[in-house]
Amino acid sequence: MTTERVAARAAARLDASVVRLCDYLRIPAISCEPERADDVRRLAHRIADDLGQLGLDHARVLELDGALPLVVADWLRAPGKPTVLVYGHLDLQPNGDGWSSPPH
């Protein structure tokens, strides 16, 4: 796929992507607040479901006792191609200095 096709596909999906990201932000998944642990789990499951709907394989939430969840998914249908790892935080930060509006 050419970079032009990738850019065109991204542009065509921009509005839907922003809506999805805003839906994520409405979940108050603040990891440093223990009372929000269930919200972090809810967001993790939502993201895993969305990754599965996008076509990734084995999208799932993993948990260890006493730890917050993490989301794992893979897509292994390109034999011989390089492996790419994408890492990101799904949790939010609490209100603090510098916020001009509520985060949720």
PDB file of all heavy atoms in Angstrom, residues 16-44:
ATOM      1  N   ALA A  16     -14.540   9.320  12.541  1.00  0.00           N
ATOM      2  CA  ALA A  16     -14.934   8.151  13.328  1.00  0.00           C
ATOM      3  C   ALA A  16     -13.895   7.841  14.397  1.00  0.00           C
ATOM      4  O   ALA A  16     -14.249   7.434  15.511  1.00  0.00           O
ATOM      5  CB  ALA A  16     -15.136   6.946  12.413  1.00  0.00           C
ATOM      6  N   SER A  17     -12.626   8.046  14.079  1.00  0.00           N
ATOM      7  CA  SER A  17     -11.567   7.800  15.062  1.00  0.00           C
ATOM      8  C   SER A  17     -11.643   8.782  16.216  1.00  0.00           C
ATOM      9  O   SER A  17     -11.463   8.400  17.378  1.00  0.00           O
ATOM     10  CB  SER A  17     -10.189   7.885  14.393  1.00  0.00           C
ATOM     11  OG  SER A  17     -10.046   6.876  13.433  1.00  0.00           O
ATOM     12  N   VAL A  18     -11.939  10.038  15.938  1.00  0.00           N
ATOM     13  CA  VAL A  18     -12.061  11.041  16.989  1.00  0.00           C
ATOM     14  C   VAL A  18     -13.258  10.707  17.888  1.00  0.00           C
ATOM     15  O   VAL A  18     -13.171  10.800  19.117  1.00  0.00           O
ATOM     16  CB  VAL A  18     -12.173  12.467  16.397  1.00  0.00           C
ATOM     17  CG1 VAL A  18     -12.560  13.479  17.462  1.00  0.00           C
ATOM     18  CG2 VAL A  18     -10.867  12.869  15.731  1.00  0.00           C
ATOM     19  N   VAL A  19     -14.358  10.272  17.295  1.00  0.00           N
ATOM     20  CA  VAL A  19     -15.527   9.879  18.086  1.00  0.00           C
ATOM     21  C   VAL A  19     -15.167   8.718  19.009  1.00  0.00           C
ATOM     22  O   VAL A  19     -15.499   8.716  20.199  1.00  0.00           O
ATOM     23  CB  VAL A  19     -16.721   9.506  17.170  1.00  0.00           C
ATOM     24  CG1 VAL A  19     -17.819   8.803  17.950  1.00  0.00           C
ATOM     25  CG2 VAL A  19     -17.264  10.749  16.483  1.00  0.00           C
ATOM     26  N   ARG A  20     -14.466   7.721  18.472  1.00  0.00           N
ATOM     27  CA  ARG A  20     -14.073   6.569  19.289  1.00  0.00           C
ATOM     28  C   ARG A  20     -13.159   7.009  20.434  1.00  0.00           C
ATOM     29  O   ARG A  20     -13.334   6.585  21.578  1.00  0.00           O
ATOM     30  CB  ARG A  20     -13.362   5.527  18.427  1.00  0.00           C
ATOM     31  CG  ARG A  20     -12.978   4.272  19.185  1.00  0.00           C
ATOM     32  CD  ARG A  20     -12.318   3.275  18.285  1.00  0.00           C
ATOM     33  NE  ARG A  20     -13.200   2.996  17.173  1.00  0.00           N
ATOM     34  CZ  ARG A  20     -13.401   1.804  16.645  1.00  0.00           C
ATOM     35  NH1 ARG A  20     -12.755   0.772  17.119  1.00  0.00           N
ATOM     36  NH2 ARG A  20     -14.204   1.636  15.638  1.00  0.00           N
ATOM     37  N   LEU A  21     -12.187   7.834  20.150  1.00  0.00           N
ATOM     38  CA  LEU A  21     -11.277   8.304  21.196  1.00  0.00           C
ATOM     39  C   LEU A  21     -12.026   9.112  22.252  1.00  0.00           C
ATOM     40  O   LEU A  21     -11.757   8.977  23.449  1.00  0.00           O
ATOM     41  CB  LEU A  21     -10.137   9.121  20.587  1.00  0.00           C
ATOM     42  CG  LEU A  21      -9.138   8.324  19.757  1.00  0.00           C
ATOM     43  CD1 LEU A  21      -8.171   9.273  19.048  1.00  0.00           C
ATOM     44  CD2 LEU A  21      -8.395   7.315  20.600  1.00  0.00           C
ATOM     45  N   CYS A  22     -12.981   9.930  21.845  1.00  0.00           N
ATOM     46  CA  CYS A  22     -13.771  10.692  22.814  1.00  0.00           C
ATOM     47  C   CYS A  22     -14.606   9.754  23.680  1.00  0.00           C
ATOM     48  O   CYS A  22     -14.776  10.007  24.879  1.00  0.00           O
ATOM     49  CB  CYS A  22     -14.651  11.707  22.095  1.00  0.00           C
ATOM     50  SG  CYS A  22     -13.730  13.113  21.423  1.00  0.00           S
ATOM     51  N   ASP A  23     -15.117   8.669  23.092  1.00  0.00           N
ATOM     52  CA  ASP A  23     -15.840   7.670  23.886  1.00  0.00           C
ATOM     53  C   ASP A  23     -14.927   7.065  24.949  1.00  0.00           C
ATOM     54  O   ASP A  23     -15.344   6.851  26.085  1.00  0.00           O
ATOM     55  CB  ASP A  23     -16.393   6.556  22.994  1.00  0.00           C
ATOM     56  CG  ASP A  23     -17.583   6.998  22.162  1.00  0.00           C
ATOM     57  OD1 ASP A  23     -18.189   8.051  22.474  1.00  0.00           O
ATOM     58  OD2 ASP A  23     -17.915   6.285  21.201  1.00  0.00           O
ATOM     59  N   TYR A  24     -13.686   6.800  24.595  1.00  0.00           N
ATOM     60  CA  TYR A  24     -12.727   6.282  25.576  1.00  0.00           C
ATOM     61  C   TYR A  24     -12.517   7.289  26.707  1.00  0.00           C
ATOM     62  O   TYR A  24     -12.463   6.925  27.879  1.00  0.00           O
ATOM     63  CB  TYR A  24     -11.372   5.991  24.935  1.00  0.00           C
ATOM     64  CG  TYR A  24     -11.322   4.882  23.915  1.00  0.00           C
ATOM     65  CD1 TYR A  24     -10.258   4.806  23.032  1.00  0.00           C
ATOM     66  CD2 TYR A  24     -12.302   3.903  23.824  1.00  0.00           C
ATOM     67  CE1 TYR A  24     -10.171   3.785  22.097  1.00  0.00           C
ATOM     68  CE2 TYR A  24     -12.228   2.892  22.885  1.00  0.00           C
ATOM     69  CZ  TYR A  24     -11.160   2.838  22.024  1.00  0.00           C
ATOM     70  OH  TYR A  24     -11.073   1.835  21.092  1.00  0.00           O
ATOM     71  N   LEU A  25     -12.387   8.555  26.337  1.00  0.00           N
ATOM     72  CA  LEU A  25     -12.104   9.589  27.335  1.00  0.00           C
ATOM     73  C   LEU A  25     -13.254   9.816  28.305  1.00  0.00           C
ATOM     74  O   LEU A  25     -13.050  10.336  29.402  1.00  0.00           O
ATOM     75  CB  LEU A  25     -11.747  10.907  26.648  1.00  0.00           C
ATOM     76  CG  LEU A  25     -10.404  10.912  25.917  1.00  0.00           C
ATOM     77  CD1 LEU A  25     -10.246  12.196  25.130  1.00  0.00           C
ATOM     78  CD2 LEU A  25      -9.258  10.715  26.889  1.00  0.00           C
ATOM     79  N   ARG A  26     -14.453   9.410  27.921  1.00  0.00           N
ATOM     80  CA  ARG A  26     -15.601   9.565  28.816  1.00  0.00           C
ATOM     81  C   ARG A  26     -15.570   8.556  29.967  1.00  0.00           C
ATOM     82  O   ARG A  26     -16.305   8.703  30.937  1.00  0.00           O
ATOM     83  CB  ARG A  26     -16.893   9.426  28.029  1.00  0.00           C
ATOM     84  CG  ARG A  26     -17.179  10.643  27.176  1.00  0.00           C
ATOM     85  CD  ARG A  26     -18.547  10.561  26.498  1.00  0.00           C
ATOM     86  NE  ARG A  26     -18.676  11.652  25.567  1.00  0.00           N
ATOM     87  CZ  ARG A  26     -18.352  11.587  24.265  1.00  0.00           C
ATOM     88  NH1 ARG A  26     -17.926  10.454  23.744  1.00  0.00           N
ATOM     89  NH2 ARG A  26     -18.474  12.639  23.490  1.00  0.00           N
ATOM     90  N   ILE A  27     -14.753   7.536  29.852  1.00  0.00           N
ATOM     91  CA  ILE A  27     -14.615   6.549  30.925  1.00  0.00           C
ATOM     92  C   ILE A  27     -13.524   7.053  31.861  1.00  0.00           C
ATOM     93  O   ILE A  27     -12.370   7.188  31.451  1.00  0.00           O
ATOM     94  CB  ILE A  27     -14.261   5.157  30.351  1.00  0.00           C
ATOM     95  CG1 ILE A  27     -15.354   4.687  29.396  1.00  0.00           C
ATOM     96  CG2 ILE A  27     -14.039   4.153  31.482  1.00  0.00           C
ATOM     97  CD1 ILE A  27     -15.031   3.420  28.620  1.00  0.00           C
ATOM     98  N   PRO A  28     -13.843   7.349  33.116  1.00  0.00           N
ATOM     99  CA  PRO A  28     -12.858   7.945  34.028  1.00  0.00           C
ATOM    100  C   PRO A  28     -11.842   6.914  34.546  1.00  0.00           C
ATOM    101  O   PRO A  28     -11.787   6.600  35.731  1.00  0.00           O
ATOM    102  CB  PRO A  28     -13.725   8.522  35.148  1.00  0.00           C
ATOM    103  CG  PRO A  28     -14.940   7.650  35.158  1.00  0.00           C
ATOM    104  CD  PRO A  28     -15.167   7.243  33.722  1.00  0.00           C
ATOM    105  N   ALA A  29     -11.042   6.404  33.651  1.00  0.00           N
ATOM    106  CA  ALA A  29     -10.079   5.344  33.959  1.00  0.00           C
ATOM    107  C   ALA A  29      -8.783   5.940  34.505  1.00  0.00           C
ATOM    108  O   ALA A  29      -7.746   5.916  33.850  1.00  0.00           O
ATOM    109  CB  ALA A  29      -9.811   4.514  32.703  1.00  0.00           C
ATOM    110  N   ILE A  30      -8.856   6.462  35.707  1.00  0.00           N
ATOM    111  CA  ILE A  30      -7.708   7.118  36.337  1.00  0.00           C
ATOM    112  C   ILE A  30      -6.977   6.070  37.178  1.00  0.00           C
ATOM    113  O   ILE A  30      -7.427   5.696  38.251  1.00  0.00           O
ATOM    114  CB  ILE A  30      -8.161   8.322  37.177  1.00  0.00           C
ATOM    115  CG1 ILE A  30      -8.921   9.314  36.285  1.00  0.00           C
ATOM    116  CG2 ILE A  30      -6.967   8.985  37.843  1.00  0.00           C
ATOM    117  CD1 ILE A  30      -9.620  10.418  37.036  1.00  0.00           C
ATOM    118  N   SER A  31      -5.865   5.600  36.679  1.00  0.00           N
ATOM    119  CA  SER A  31      -5.192   4.438  37.273  1.00  0.00           C
ATOM    120  C   SER A  31      -4.626   4.689  38.660  1.00  0.00           C
ATOM    121  O   SER A  31      -4.483   3.757  39.445  1.00  0.00           O
ATOM    122  CB  SER A  31      -4.081   3.946  36.354  1.00  0.00           C
ATOM    123  OG  SER A  31      -3.106   4.949  36.186  1.00  0.00           O
ATOM    124  N   CYS A  32      -4.303   5.925  38.986  1.00  0.00           N
ATOM    125  CA  CYS A  32      -3.709   6.195  40.295  1.00  0.00           C
ATOM    126  C   CYS A  32      -4.765   6.360  41.386  1.00  0.00           C
ATOM    127  O   CYS A  32      -4.416   6.563  42.544  1.00  0.00           O
ATOM    128  CB  CYS A  32      -2.792   7.410  40.232  1.00  0.00           C
ATOM    129  SG  CYS A  32      -3.642   8.947  39.832  1.00  0.00           S
ATOM    130  N   GLU A  33      -6.036   6.259  41.026  1.00  0.00           N
ATOM    131  CA  GLU A  33      -7.112   6.343  42.009  1.00  0.00           C
ATOM    132  C   GLU A  33      -7.727   4.952  42.167  1.00  0.00           C
ATOM    133  O   GLU A  33      -8.434   4.478  41.263  1.00  0.00           O
ATOM    134  CB  GLU A  33      -8.155   7.369  41.573  1.00  0.00           C
ATOM    135  CG  GLU A  33      -7.603   8.790  41.527  1.00  0.00           C
ATOM    136  CD  GLU A  33      -8.615   9.828  41.074  1.00  0.00           C
ATOM    137  OE1 GLU A  33      -9.789   9.479  40.811  1.00  0.00           O
ATOM    138  OE2 GLU A  33      -8.225  11.003  40.981  1.00  0.00           O
ATOM    139  N   PRO A  34      -7.458   4.273  43.280  1.00  0.00           N
ATOM    140  CA  PRO A  34      -7.932   2.894  43.453  1.00  0.00           C
ATOM    141  C   PRO A  34      -9.428   2.713  43.228  1.00  0.00           C
ATOM    142  O   PRO A  34      -9.865   1.679  42.725  1.00  0.00           O
ATOM    143  CB  PRO A  34      -7.548   2.553  44.895  1.00  0.00           C
ATOM    144  CG  PRO A  34      -6.405   3.466  45.211  1.00  0.00           C
ATOM    145  CD  PRO A  34      -6.684   4.736  44.435  1.00  0.00           C
ATOM    146  N   GLU A  35     -10.211   3.725  43.561  1.00  0.00           N
ATOM    147  CA  GLU A  35     -11.656   3.608  43.357  1.00  0.00           C
ATOM    148  C   GLU A  35     -12.053   3.614  41.878  1.00  0.00           C
ATOM    149  O   GLU A  35     -13.198   3.343  41.541  1.00  0.00           O
ATOM    150  CB  GLU A  35     -12.401   4.719  44.123  1.00  0.00           C
ATOM    151  CG  GLU A  35     -12.135   6.131  43.623  1.00  0.00           C
ATOM    152  CD  GLU A  35     -10.918   6.810  44.227  1.00  0.00           C
ATOM    153  OE1 GLU A  35     -10.078   6.134  44.866  1.00  0.00           O
ATOM    154  OE2 GLU A  35     -10.794   8.033  44.052  1.00  0.00           O
ATOM    155  N   ARG A  36     -11.117   3.894  40.992  1.00  0.00           N
ATOM    156  CA  ARG A  36     -11.372   3.903  39.547  1.00  0.00           C
ATOM    157  C   ARG A  36     -10.873   2.630  38.858  1.00  0.00           C
ATOM    158  O   ARG A  36     -10.900   2.532  37.630  1.00  0.00           O
ATOM    159  CB  ARG A  36     -10.703   5.119  38.896  1.00  0.00           C
ATOM    160  CG  ARG A  36     -11.257   6.445  39.345  1.00  0.00           C
ATOM    161  CD  ARG A  36     -12.650   6.615  38.842  1.00  0.00           C
ATOM    162  NE  ARG A  36     -13.125   7.954  39.146  1.00  0.00           N
ATOM    163  CZ  ARG A  36     -14.360   8.323  38.980  1.00  0.00           C
ATOM    164  NH1 ARG A  36     -15.248   7.477  38.526  1.00  0.00           N
ATOM    165  NH2 ARG A  36     -14.728   9.546  39.283  1.00  0.00           N
ATOM    166  N   ALA A  37     -10.435   1.639  39.623  1.00  0.00           N
ATOM    167  CA  ALA A  37      -9.894   0.408  39.030  1.00  0.00           C
ATOM    168  C   ALA A  37     -10.911  -0.277  38.116  1.00  0.00           C
ATOM    169  O   ALA A  37     -10.555  -0.783  37.049  1.00  0.00           O
ATOM    170  CB  ALA A  37      -9.421  -0.551  40.119  1.00  0.00           C
ATOM    171  N   ASP A  38     -12.188  -0.273  38.504  1.00  0.00           N
ATOM    172  CA  ASP A  38     -13.204  -0.885  37.649  1.00  0.00           C
ATOM    173  C   ASP A  38     -13.380  -0.116  36.346  1.00  0.00           C
ATOM    174  O   ASP A  38     -13.660  -0.708  35.301  1.00  0.00           O
ATOM    175  CB  ASP A  38     -14.541  -1.005  38.383  1.00  0.00           C
ATOM    176  CG  ASP A  38     -14.532  -2.119  39.423  1.00  0.00           C
ATOM    177  OD1 ASP A  38     -13.674  -3.027  39.331  1.00  0.00           O
ATOM    178  OD2 ASP A  38     -15.388  -2.082  40.330  1.00  0.00           O
ATOM    179  N   ASP A  39     -13.193   1.210  36.404  1.00  0.00           N
ATOM    180  CA  ASP A  39     -13.259   2.007  35.170  1.00  0.00           C
ATOM    181  C   ASP A  39     -12.086   1.671  34.253  1.00  0.00           C
ATOM    182  O   ASP A  39     -12.247   1.597  33.032  1.00  0.00           O
ATOM    183  CB  ASP A  39     -13.259   3.501  35.496  1.00  0.00           C
ATOM    184  CG  ASP A  39     -14.532   3.939  36.184  1.00  0.00           C
ATOM    185  OD1 ASP A  39     -15.626   3.488  35.777  1.00  0.00           O
ATOM    186  OD2 ASP A  39     -14.446   4.730  37.146  1.00  0.00           O
ATOM    187  N   VAL A  40     -10.904   1.468  34.835  1.00  0.00           N
ATOM    188  CA  VAL A  40      -9.745   1.068  34.025  1.00  0.00           C
ATOM    189  C   VAL A  40     -10.037  -0.277  33.359  1.00  0.00           C
ATOM    190  O   VAL A  40      -9.770  -0.459  32.164  1.00  0.00           O
ATOM    191  CB  VAL A  40      -8.453   1.015  34.881  1.00  0.00           C
ATOM    192  CG1 VAL A  40      -7.286   0.492  34.058  1.00  0.00           C
ATOM    193  CG2 VAL A  40      -8.135   2.384  35.462  1.00  0.00           C
ATOM    194  N   ARG A  41     -10.612  -1.208  34.110  1.00  0.00           N
ATOM    195  CA  ARG A  41     -10.967  -2.519  33.534  1.00  0.00           C
ATOM    196  C   ARG A  41     -12.006  -2.370  32.423  1.00  0.00           C
ATOM    197  O   ARG A  41     -11.912  -3.008  31.383  1.00  0.00           O
ATOM    198  CB  ARG A  41     -11.510  -3.433  34.619  1.00  0.00           C
ATOM    199  CG  ARG A  41     -10.449  -4.122  35.382  1.00  0.00           C
ATOM    200  CD  ARG A  41     -10.990  -5.145  36.380  1.00  0.00           C
ATOM    201  NE  ARG A  41      -9.907  -5.397  37.313  1.00  0.00           N
ATOM    202  CZ  ARG A  41      -9.643  -4.657  38.368  1.00  0.00           C
ATOM    203  NH1 ARG A  41     -10.418  -3.658  38.700  1.00  0.00           N
ATOM    204  NH2 ARG A  41      -8.604  -4.925  39.127  1.00  0.00           N
ATOM    205  N   ARG A  42     -13.002  -1.522  32.660  1.00  0.00           N
ATOM    206  CA  ARG A  42     -14.050  -1.314  31.646  1.00  0.00           C
ATOM    207  C   ARG A  42     -13.443  -0.752  30.356  1.00  0.00           C
ATOM    208  O   ARG A  42     -13.775  -1.203  29.255  1.00  0.00           O
ATOM    209  CB  ARG A  42     -15.115  -0.369  32.211  1.00  0.00           C
ATOM    210  CG  ARG A  42     -16.293  -0.169  31.287  1.00  0.00           C
ATOM    211  CD  ARG A  42     -17.486   0.431  32.014  1.00  0.00           C
ATOM    212  NE  ARG A  42     -17.192   1.633  32.760  1.00  0.00           N
ATOM    213  CZ  ARG A  42     -17.581   2.864  32.400  1.00  0.00           C
ATOM    214  NH1 ARG A  42     -18.284   3.040  31.305  1.00  0.00           N
ATOM    215  NH2 ARG A  42     -17.273   3.897  33.147  1.00  0.00           N
ATOM    216  N   LEU A  43     -12.544   0.195  30.485  1.00  0.00           N
ATOM    217  CA  LEU A  43     -11.887   0.760  29.310  1.00  0.00           C
ATOM    218  C   LEU A  43     -11.025  -0.292  28.625  1.00  0.00           C
ATOM    219  O   LEU A  43     -11.024  -0.399  27.389  1.00  0.00           O
ATOM    220  CB  LEU A  43     -11.053   1.982  29.689  1.00  0.00           C
ATOM    221  CG  LEU A  43     -10.311   2.668  28.538  1.00  0.00           C
ATOM    222  CD1 LEU A  43     -11.270   3.097  27.427  1.00  0.00           C
ATOM    223  CD2 LEU A  43      -9.514   3.856  29.065  1.00  0.00           C
ATOM    224  N   ALA A  44     -10.311  -1.085  29.388  1.00  0.00           N
ATOM    225  CA  ALA A  44      -9.468  -2.131  28.795  1.00  0.00           C
ATOM    226  C   ALA A  44     -10.322  -3.106  27.980  1.00  0.00           C
ATOM    227  O   ALA A  44      -9.960  -3.468  26.854  1.00  0.00           O
ATOM    228  CB  ALA A  44      -8.703  -2.877  29.893  1.00  0.00           C
TER     229      ALA A  44
END
